[in-house]
Amino acid sequence: MASLSSEPTIIAPSGAAITADGHRRSYEVRTFGCQMNVHDSERLSGSLESAGYVRADAGDEADIVIINTCAVRDNAAGKLYGTLGHLKSRKDKHEGMQIAVGGCLAQMDQQAVLDKAPWVDVVFGTHNMGSLPGLLERARHNGEAELEILESLEIFPSTLPTKRDSAHSGWVSISVGCNNTCTFCIVPSLRGKEKDRRPGDILNEIRLLVEDGAIEVTLLGQNVNSYGVEFGDRQAFSKLLRAAGDIEGLERIRFTSPHPAAFTDDVIDAMAETPNVMPQLHMPLQSGSDSILKAMRRSYRSSRYLGIIERVRERIPHAAITTDIIVGFPGETDEDFEDTMRVVEQSRFSSAFTFQYSIREGTPAATMEKQVPKEVVQERYNRLIALQERISLEENQKQVGREVEVLVSVGEGKKDASTHRLTGRAEDNRLVHFEVTPGSELPRPGDMVTVTITHGAPFHLLADDPTGAPLRIRRTRGGDAWDRAQAASCGVPAPAGESGAPRAVSLGLPTLRPVGS
């Protein structure tokens, strides 16, 4: 078995990154899809900046627009080509503008992207993200579109330079690809068989992130808990969680998404016994019907799924569990759907990502008989949404009176400006909007605040202090990193004080945005 390179990938400066009048060309990355796509986009940004490009300021028209695509949902193609149609009018007016399309849909459609949108300059796949700067330069030099799709991965994406969206949080990919054959999913054919990174490489990346100011990491894998299958260690993932938990300065560890069939008790033990592994689990259910799970080729049944949840809650009583559910899979009967409703009621998910089944060309499910009529799918979907919203409300109302530590974020609260609140995530990943009382110092993104929950809504929690007491803030290295990033973007020296030290200057205070899910 050929091993993938884990050495840092060097991206050479590109002459195409500089305009004729000496200005650096700007870029914008638009991400469609899952957390893996978000992480890939950070690598694309890092590769472009290493080549000399600069990220476009908000509101400015970029010289290069990169669309990182998803192919999981049937409407992914419509979203891509609609976006490309809109960008064509911009490109017609913007001399020298380039458009690139990458990711899963590019890997699948390949030449079809250029056939449908001939104004696209570069098409690249899931296995060659580091090629983007070179492809842009070749397209510019040759005056014609460049298409490069590799059929297998040559380097781990994590060896590429990265431009993180958050100073205090980071994504860490522990594996790429998938060995499962779920009948509704196109991902294995686009990202290939599972390839696991070496534990030492993963831990070194986490340490580097922490040294750079990150206090939270999320471990990523298509089936993150099957990590170790390539080198034959069934407990590799639990060992990795424990080892990451020993990294000094790392306060929060999350992971997504595990597969129920591979979920073992040693992982639950590692979660319960490693203090910085957060009390949160996102574990896709997809269906509560055993017959539908079999048709999906999901190699577990509802009893196993419920057993995992029961054992997690025995060891971690306050764990928040979230899931993914597909409604209307081919052949789903009323009885099958009622099984899903039953499992959802028993599971008491804090939230759920629910999807109406849509045909994905290239998957076995696309040609299955007994496709469920759209109106039936819609009615079932509405009933599931109503059930889950009731459960989410009830579970969030149970949080009232609890004292929680919130990691302050930026941009997650859409109404914070009008409500004088800030927003962040509790340890269990619930969204918390907390009041900024008059006279309180503003925490920075990446700082921690301790608040008491006063209200639970289906999609968020509120923490308003009726006494008007100042916020209880714990300044962190993550907040210091945010200060440095803001100072760098303003071209001024960073504040001198580190965590716990008085701050003489506060640059780029978080925009107060409103409460909203």
Side-chain angles (χ1 to χ4, degrees):
M1 180 183 298
S3 61
L4 300 181
S5 171
S6 59
E7 296 299 316
T9 302
I10 306 300
I11 304 294
S14 169
I18 308 298
T19 63
D21 58 1
H23 289 91
R24 294 171 67 187
R25 299 179 74 214
S26 62
Y27 74 90
E28 171 193 357
V29 180
R30 300 187 185 184
T31 308
F32 301 160
C34 65
Q35 292 94 335
M36 298 293 286
N37 291 69
V38 173
H39 182 51
D40 287 348
S41 290
E42 291 186 340
R43 300 294 177 181
L44 292 172
S45 297
S47 297
L48 288 169
E49 297 205 4
S50 292
Y53 297 90
V54 61
R55 179 176 290 181
D57 292 332
D60 288 353
E61 287 197 358
D63 298 310
I64 300 168
V65 177
I66 302 97
I67 304 175
N68 187 15
T69 63
C70 171
V72 172
R73 305 294 305 284
D74 186 48
N75 64 1
K79 186 174 183 180
L80 169 64
Y81 293 114
T83 301
L84 290 176
H86 175 73
L87 287 174
K88 182 182 186 303
S89 59
R90 263 183 56 183
K91 186 178 181 183
D92 290 342
K93 301 173 186 176
H94 187 146
E95 184 179 356
M97 180 179 171
Q98 290 182 290
I99 301 171
V101 177
C104 290
L105 197 60
Q107 185 80 23
M108 183 172 69
D109 282 5
Q110 301 190 14
Q111 180 64 42
V113 176
L114 296 178
D115 293 341
K116 295 177 181 178
W119 55 92
V120 169
D121 299 275
V122 171
V123 178
F124 62 103
T126 58
H127 300 316
N128 59 321
M129 291 186 298
S131 303
L132 179 58
L135 292 171
L136 288 167
E137 185 164 11
R138 283 195 342 232
R140 192 167 182 81
H141 179 270
N142 297 336
E144 60 183 20
E146 290 290 330
L147 169 67
E148 183 176 286
I149 306 289
L150 301 184
E151 294 306 317
S152 61
L153 200 66
E154 294 181 344
I155 61 170
F156 277 112
S158 294
T159 66
L160 294 168
T162 188
K163 173 71 173 178
R164 299 198 339 261
D165 288 332
S166 169
H168 62 266
S169 298
W171 308 98
V172 176
S173 178
I174 69 171
S175 64
V176 293
C178 178
N179 292 340
N180 291 315
T181 57
C182 300
T183 55
F184 57 81
C185 186
I186 195 71
V187 167
S189 65
L190 302 179
R191 290 190 178 266
K193 292 291 186 180
E194 180 173 328
K195 297 289 185 182
D196 295 329
R197 295 177 69 194
R198 294 182 303 211
D201 291 340
I202 296 167
L203 295 171
N204 284 338
E205 182 179 350
I206 295 173
R207 291 188 187 98
L208 289 172
L209 287 172
V210 172
E211 289 174 9
D212 197 39
I215 59 174
E216 176 184 66
V217 298
T218 301
L219 306 179
L220 294 177
Q222 217 70 53
N223 292 306
V224 69
N225 59 321
S226 65
Y227 174 74
V229 66
E230 195 179 21
F231 44 83
D233 186 351
R234 292 179 59 85
Q235 295 194 344
F237 184 61
S238 62
K239 293 174 183 176
L240 182 65
L241 287 177
R242 293 180 187 275
D246 289 335
I247 295 176
E248 186 175 354
L250 180 58
E251 298 196 25
R252 292 186 171 189
I253 302 170
R254 305 188 189 278
F255 58 89
T256 195
S257 290
H259 195 293
F263 209 98
T264 49
D265 286 351
D266 60 294
V267 173
I268 298 174
D269 292 340
M271 293 173 64
E273 297 165 8
T274 310
N276 47 4
V277 174
M278 293 295 95
Q280 173 219 349
L281 175 64
H282 180 82
M283 186 168 65
L285 168 65
Q286 306 303 5
S287 175
S289 162
D290 288 351
S291 63
I292 294 298
L293 288 171
K294 182 178 180 181
M296 289 178 167
R297 290 189 199 151
R298 300 285 289 179
S299 47
Y300 57 90
R301 299 297 177 257
S302 59
S303 59
R304 173 172 174 77
Y305 188 95
L306 290 168
I308 294 169
I309 288 180
E310 182 179 359
R311 294 195 297 278
V312 168
R313 288 188 169 134
E314 284 175 357
R315 297 298 313 274
I316 315 167
H318 291 300
I321 299 175
T322 58
T323 196
D324 299 333
I325 302 171
I326 297 172
V327 177
F329 187 81
E332 183 186 75
T333 64
D334 289 340
E335 291 75 17
D336 292 324
F337 178 68
E338 290 304 327
D339 283 342
T340 294
M341 297 284 277
R342 173 184 55 81
V343 173
V344 169
E345 185 75 71
Q346 290 181 249
S347 299
R348 308 296 297 177
F349 299 118
S350 60
S351 65
F353 296 91
T354 53
F355 305 93
Q356 297 185 39
Y357 172 77
S358 58
I359 292 174
R360 179 68 273 175
E361 185 179 347
T363 64
T367 57
M368 285 182 175
E369 297 179 351
K370 299 182 181 179
Q371 299 284 330
V372 183
K374 171 66 177 174
E375 61 273 15
V376 175
V377 177
Q378 185 67 55
E379 188 272 338
R380 291 174 183 170
Y381 178 78
N382 292 342
R383 287 176 56 201
L384 178 60
I385 289 289
L387 172 63
Q388 183 55 54
E389 286 194 9
R390 172 177 66 77
I391 294 171
S392 295
L393 175 61
E394 292 169 356
E395 293 302 306
N396 280 352
Q397 287 175 336
K398 292 178 183 177
Q399 307 303 309
V400 173
R402 283 192 65 200
E403 187 174 273
V404 298
E405 189 169 54
V406 175
L407 175 57
V408 182
S409 59
V410 62
E412 287 199 275
K414 298 175 183 177
K415 301 177 184 175
D416 287 356
S418 61
T419 59
H420 303 290
R421 294 188 179 104
L422 292 178
T423 298
R425 295 280 174 176
E427 289 184 333
D428 62 10
N429 208 39
R430 283 183 166 95
L431 190 69
V432 180
H433 306 292
F434 58 91
E435 185 178 28
V436 181
T437 52
S440 288
E441 180 186 3
L442 281 174
R444 307 160 298 179
D447 284 339
M448 299 282 191
V449 297
T450 301
V451 298
T452 300
I453 302 304
T454 56
H455 177 76
F459 306 114
H460 64 263
L461 303 173
L462 296 183
D464 294 338
D465 190 338
T467 70
L471 277 174
R472 287 182 287 170
I473 301 172
R474 178 165 66 84
R475 292 168 55 80
T476 71
R477 297 168 55 259
D480 296 339
W482 188 84
D483 265 346
R484 290 194 298 272
Q486 293 298 299
S489 68
C490 296
V492 299
E498 288 297 314
S499 298
R503 178 172 42 151
V505 181
S506 179
L507 293 168
L509 286 174
T511 303
L512 289 175
R513 300 173 187 261
V515 174
S517 49

